[in-house]
Amino acid sequence: GQNIDQPTEMTATEGAIVQINCTYQTSGFNGLFWYQQHAGEAPTFLSYNVLDGLEEKGRFSSFLSRSKGYSYLLLKELQMKDSASYLCAVMDSNYQLIWGAGTKLIIKP
Amino acid sequence: GAVVSQHPSWVICKSGTSVKIECRSLDFQATTMFWYRQFPKQSLMLMATSNEGSKATYEQGVEKDKFLINHASLTLSTLTVTSAHPEDSSFYICSARRGHPGGYYEQYFGPGTRLTVT
């Protein structure tokens, strides 16, 4: 079966760095996506990885290791507005997105 | 960037009535759109995949006669919740798939529709 695992909840301090991990087992792989979702709102796109390595985009970076079925999202210089759920999703061989349950990130002053 | 709109943003209806939700891709053509529902503090649950000009593909456990999907054009898909009941109250989100020049697909989400059935 297909499975995406990520922690349910994480807490970090404003200004700090946090890493949210995601492991996956899917039938086929056409890329891994990270989305941010604030409470009561729809998800917004953060990053896409299809090749191994690190993709950096401002304060956010995303890493992928296809051989390990592993990705992480790194958030630097945390701000209170970063409090949200972060969803890991893998596009399978049918180009369908398989979603993780999301990681709720709580930022404390 | 790509924009997907959804209408209405929120709707309250009486039990037994039907509600139609529209999803539009405003600046690109989407042959494939997706409908999700999300209960509080839970992840997205894919309901169905909507393909332009053909019947929607429903996920297991989703009643196709209750959740009618029509993808009549490359920029519009509609979800009609028929004979709504309080347990259908949820956050319904659509997304449109777009091919990227980098050779992959990306999904853009609408803002969601909060349905409350009384």
Side-chain angles (χ1 to χ4, degrees):
Chain A
Q2 309 205 90
N3 194 48
I4 310 276
D5 285 318
Q6 50 182 130
T8 304
E9 186 173 297
M10 299 183 71
T11 302
T13 305
E14 189 177 16
I17 299 173
V18 71
Q19 177 174 310
I20 303 174
N21 296 324
C22 171
T23 57
Y24 63 90
Q25 289 179 308
T26 58
S27 33
F29 180 83
N30 279 299
L32 186 144
F33 296 81
W34 284 97
Y35 285 84
Q36 181 190 60
Q37 185 178 25
H38 285 99
E41 298 180 10
T44 55
F45 171 80
L46 287 179
S47 68
Y48 170 77
N49 293 70
V50 68
L51 299 177
D52 290 351
L54 187 68
E55 294 279 343
E56 297 185 79
K57 192 184 292 185
R59 295 189 297 114
F60 293 5
S61 303
S62 56
F63 171 83
L64 174 67
S65 169
R66 288 172 297 171
S67 63
K68 295 181 179 178
Y70 167 71
S71 172
Y72 68 72
L73 179 69
L74 190 72
L75 292 76
K76 303 176 185 176
E77 301 170 16
L78 287 170
Q79 302 175 9
M80 297 303 293
K81 67 178 182 180
D82 297 329
S83 292
S85 288
Y86 291 85
L87 307 174
C88 173
V90 173
M91 188 163 278
D92 68 9
S93 56
N94 295 319
Y95 295 98
Q96 299 278 47
L97 276 181
I98 311 300
W99 293 89
T103 299
K104 182 179 180 180
L105 178 63
I106 300 169
I107 310 295
K108 295 185 175 180
Chain B
V3 178
V4 176
S5 71
Q6 233 178 290
H7 178 79
S9 304
W10 59 271
V11 58
I12 302 173
C13 70
K14 292 186 177 180
S15 186
T17 61
S18 295
V19 174
K20 180 186 280 188
I21 303 170
E22 292 187 350
C23 178
R24 294 180 185 271
S25 54
L26 297 184
D27 54 357
F28 68 100
Q29 293 182 329
T31 55
T32 303
M33 291 185 173
F34 302 90
W35 287 96
Y36 294 86
R37 67 189 296 182
Q38 187 176 35
F39 293 105
K41 300 183 180 180
Q42 294 187 23
S43 188
L44 298 170
M45 186 195 83
L46 179 65
M47 298 175 66
T49 301
S50 169
N51 296 296
E52 187 267 337
S54 64
K55 292 183 179 180
T57 303
Y58 290 81
E59 296 299 301
Q60 194 172 9
V62 178
E63 299 174 58
K64 60 181 66 177
D65 294 331
K66 180 171 183 61
F67 298 99
L68 302 178
I69 292 173
N70 186 357
H71 194 157
S73 78
L74 288 171
T75 59
L76 173 64
S77 176
T78 60
L79 168 69
T80 302
V81 183
T82 63
S83 187
H85 291 286
E87 57 263 32
D88 298 324
S89 298
S90 187
F91 191 44
Y92 292 85
I93 310 171
C94 75
S95 72
R97 189 166 76 186
R98 180 185 189 185
H100 192 275
Y104 61 90
Y105 288 104
E106 196 171 320
Q107 277 186 223
Y108 296 91
F109 285 85
T113 297
R114 188 160 302 283
L115 170 64
T116 302
V117 184
T118 61

